[in-house]
């Protein structure tokens, strides 16, 4: 089952229950596309409420906006809707069902940065249709292009985005320069996740709810033992509340941040939905996707599948990434199947410390973090695999990352009666 739920106290400031559906009229009726006479004031408001980017790193939105605003010459705004994480659906959902929020966010970001050109970058065909339709309806004359790419894990990394929009392959390049220094067409580029831009649009049309808008997250929850859903929740919500909503309450671990934030075992229930709180606990919120592991899942099997998926998704540009992800995945695979040697754990531990930061993008870091977290949170489960596979790993385990993939729910697909406390979203 998949669904859409909001845990916000009232729906007015929610992206999921927002009246802006695919049509223009309801959006304009609630203040959408309103003039922005003082873009500098909007920027300061974004800074005041501390809006952080929703693409993964949680970088303060106002800092990037100010940097591009103060760059000399023409600038560009890009809405990043590629959504490479297989376990996340929020960006495709927004593009498919709230395209005007995203386009208005592009318009406002362009006003704040002085950009003369915008671009929506995506890979989903239904999202493209919705955005192109919204573009024909929206007011204003800012040029906004739509660039479609092939869906891969790294296609949404910021330098890959710039490269693809400029006509090249969607592959990362070395940094610096970052896009805000030199991006699309060589121009300073404000590249922001589509959720970040949609939040800017709601914040502009409902300034009295700005703090709540900046302080909420879209989260994709999944796990083989329960349901999957797109949930909007206030920052700080304990993960146990999100898990309970979808039948994951008995999980004994969680994979954080899509494939980016590592595994967390005992104590996961008290973790907060918050960048800093999860970082303090050694994890990362990333794009906000949470995959729960149930007692019948094996953390070694899950880590093996995740690293094998990342190794297959390596863009194969950096030697250290090709060999590093390959070695991590192969070694985990042999551990899972009971074929480990005396030094297997030590090798994995050493690599997970040495590899982070050595590739051009964060894919290698993600694989290393999964391995490090497996070793630190599940030492006994790892030991159990020495010399013999556990029943789960001995069975036919998928090794292509299929377990992490979540279908994009329809806007009216929630079932509030099945999960008391959840609010049904407006279609
Ligand atoms: C390997 C990798 C993949 C990424 N994929 C995405 C993606 O699919 N979508 C996205 O918005 N950001 C992705 N990012 C983050 C972007 O590089 C960039 O930081 C983000 O789009 C900026 O938006 P924000 O400031 O609103 O968070 C990825 C980063 C890495 C390292
Ligand atoms: S670190 Fe890996 S995925 Fe990233 S650019 Fe290098 S080879 Fe490609």
């Amino acid at each position: 089952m998949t669904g859409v739920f909001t845990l916000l106290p009232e729906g007015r400031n929610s992206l999921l229950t927002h009246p802006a559906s695919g049509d223009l009229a309801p959006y304009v009726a609630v203040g959408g596309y309103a003039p922005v006479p003082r873009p500098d004031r909007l920027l300061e408001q974004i800074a005041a409420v501390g809006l952080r980017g929703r693409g993964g790193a949680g970088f303060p939105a106002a800092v990037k906006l100010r940097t591009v605003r103060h760059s000399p010459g023409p600038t560009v705004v890009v809405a990043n809707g590629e959504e490479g994480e297989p376990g996340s659906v929020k960006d495709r959902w927004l593009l498919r069902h709230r395209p005007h929020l995203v386009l208005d966010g592009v318009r406002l970001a362009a006003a704040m940065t002085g950009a003369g050109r915008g671009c929506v970058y995506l890979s989903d065909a239904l999202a493209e249709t919705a955005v192109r339709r919204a573009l024909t309806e929206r007011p204003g004359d800012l040029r906004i292009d739509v660039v479609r790419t092939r869906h891969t894990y790294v296609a949404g990394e910021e330098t890959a985005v710039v490269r693809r929009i400029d006509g090249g392959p969607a592959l990362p390049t070395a940094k610096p320069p970052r896009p805000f220094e030199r991006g699309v067409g060589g121009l300073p580029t404000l590249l922001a996740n589509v959720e970040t831009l949609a939040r800017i649009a709601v914040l502009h049309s409902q300034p009295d709810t700005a703090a709540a808008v900046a302080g909420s997250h879209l989260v994709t929850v999944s796990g083989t033992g329960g349901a999957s859903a797109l949930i909007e929740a206030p920052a700080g919500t304990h993960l146990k509340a999100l898990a309970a909503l979808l039948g994951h309450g008995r999980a004994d671990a969680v994979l954080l941040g899509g494939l980016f934030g590592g595994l967390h075992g005992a104590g996961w229930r008290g973790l907060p939905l918050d960048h800093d709180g999860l970082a303090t606990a050694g994890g990362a919120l990333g794009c906000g996707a949470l995959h729960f592991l149930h007692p019948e899942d094996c953390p070694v099997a899950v880590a093996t599948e995740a690293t094998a998926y990342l190794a297959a998704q390596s863009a194969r540009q950096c030697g250290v990434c090709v060999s590093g992800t390959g070695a991590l995945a192969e070694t985990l695979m042999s551990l899972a199947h009971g074929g480990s040697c005396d030094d297997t754990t030590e090798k994995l531990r050493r690599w997970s410390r040495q590899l982070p930061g050595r590739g051009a993008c964060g894919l290698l870091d993600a694989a290393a973090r999964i391995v490090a977290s497996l070793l630190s949170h599940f030492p006994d489960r790892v030991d159990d695999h020495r010399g013999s596979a556990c029943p789960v790993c001995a069975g036919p385990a998928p090794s292509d990352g299929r377990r992490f993939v979540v279908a994009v729910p329809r806007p009216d697909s929630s079932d509030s009666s099945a999960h008391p406390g959840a609010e049904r979203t407006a279609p």
Side-chain angles (χ1 to χ4, degrees), residues 21-423:
S21 59
D23 295 323
L24 178 65
Y27 184 46
V28 170
V30 294
Y33 293 115
V36 50
R38 292 289 307 268
D40 54 331
R41 288 206 180 139
L42 177 60
L43 207 164
E44 289 323 309
Q45 192 180 17
I46 291 167
V49 294
L51 178 68
R52 294 173 70 165
R54 298 303 205 270
F59 195 75
V63 173
K64 269 203 294 199
L65 283 162
R66 273 199 204 110
T67 308
V68 179
R69 179 181 175 83
H70 294 131
S71 306
T75 59
V76 180
V77 169
V78 174
N80 187 359
E82 203 291 298
E83 197 161 47
E85 284 286 358
S88 180
V89 297
K90 69 185 181 77
D91 297 338
R92 279 167 294 160
W93 194 94
L94 284 175
L95 289 168
R96 286 183 190 185
H97 304 297
R98 301 288 182 267
H100 282 298
L101 283 184
V102 177
L103 293 179
D104 202 10
V106 172
R107 173 190 73 107
L108 294 166
M112 286 184 278
T113 56
R117 180 186 165 194
C119 180
V120 180
Y121 178 77
L122 44 72
S123 61
D124 179 60
L126 294 177
E128 181 178 8
T129 305
V131 169
R132 287 197 185 280
R133 177 170 174 261
L135 275 172
T136 63
E137 293 182 335
R138 64 152 187 153
D141 53 10
L142 175 71
R143 172 184 162 191
I144 301 182
D145 302 315
V146 178
V147 174
R148 181 139 168 226
T149 190
R150 199 168 64 84
H151 176 69
T152 68
Y153 193 81
V154 298
E157 193 275 342
E158 58 183 6
T159 57
V161 176
V162 168
R163 210 167 162 190
R164 174 73 187 95
I165 293 172
D166 280 344
L171 298 174
T173 53
K175 295 183 278 276
R178 303 273 307 273
F180 60 78
E181 298 161 306
R182 198 167 75 227
V184 174
L187 303 176
T189 298
L190 187 282
L191 190 143
N193 174 262
V194 293
E195 181 189 346
T196 314
L197 292 166
R199 290 200 179 277
I200 289 175
V202 179
L203 192 150
H204 175 61
S205 61
Q206 297 173 23
D208 56 319
T209 67
V213 173
S216 311
H217 290 272
L218 291 180
V219 187
T220 312
V221 173
S222 66
T224 46
S228 301
L230 176 59
I231 302 179
E232 189 166 23
T237 303
H238 281 153
L239 301 197
K240 71 175 173 208
L242 301 173
L245 187 65
L246 296 160
H248 296 290
R250 70 190 184 97
D252 38 38
V254 61
L255 180 56
L256 298 163
L259 302 182
F260 217 79
L263 288 158
H264 204 96
W268 69 262
R269 287 178 177 76
L271 292 177
L273 181 67
D274 167 54
H275 282 288
D276 297 334
L278 289 179
T280 304
L285 179 58
C287 65
L290 303 172
H291 182 82
F292 289 101
L293 276 63
H294 287 241
E296 57 272 23
D297 293 317
C298 171
V300 174
V302 172
T304 303
E305 189 171 346
T307 48
Y309 178 80
L310 290 170
Q313 288 287 314
S314 163
R316 310 192 78 74
Q317 300 193 116
C318 317
V320 66
C321 176
V322 177
S323 59
T325 55
L328 290 172
E330 274 167 32
T331 309
L332 273 184
M333 192 84 75
S334 94
L335 175 72
H337 290 110
S340 62
C341 316
D342 286 348
D343 66 341
T344 297
T345 314
E346 197 35 52
K347 249 186 344 197
L348 286 170
R349 197 181 313 281
R350 196 172 62 245
W351 291 337
S352 69
R353 287 187 186 135
Q354 289 170 344
L355 292 172
R358 296 188 54 202
C361 79
L363 181 141
L364 180 57
D365 301 24
R369 197 201 287 262
I370 287 170
V371 174
S373 61
L374 175 73
L375 298 176
S376 66
H377 284 271
F378 302 97
D380 297 344
R381 301 295 293 271
V382 170
D383 271 352
D384 288 348
H385 286 74
R386 282 171 188 269
S388 64
C390 75
V392 177
C393 292
S399 58
D400 55 3
R402 225 175 320 158
R403 78 154 63 229
F404 305 114
V405 177
V406 178
V408 184
R410 290 169 45 82
D412 55 356
S413 62
S414 61
D415 179 359
S416 55
S417 61
H419 305 289
E423 188 178 311

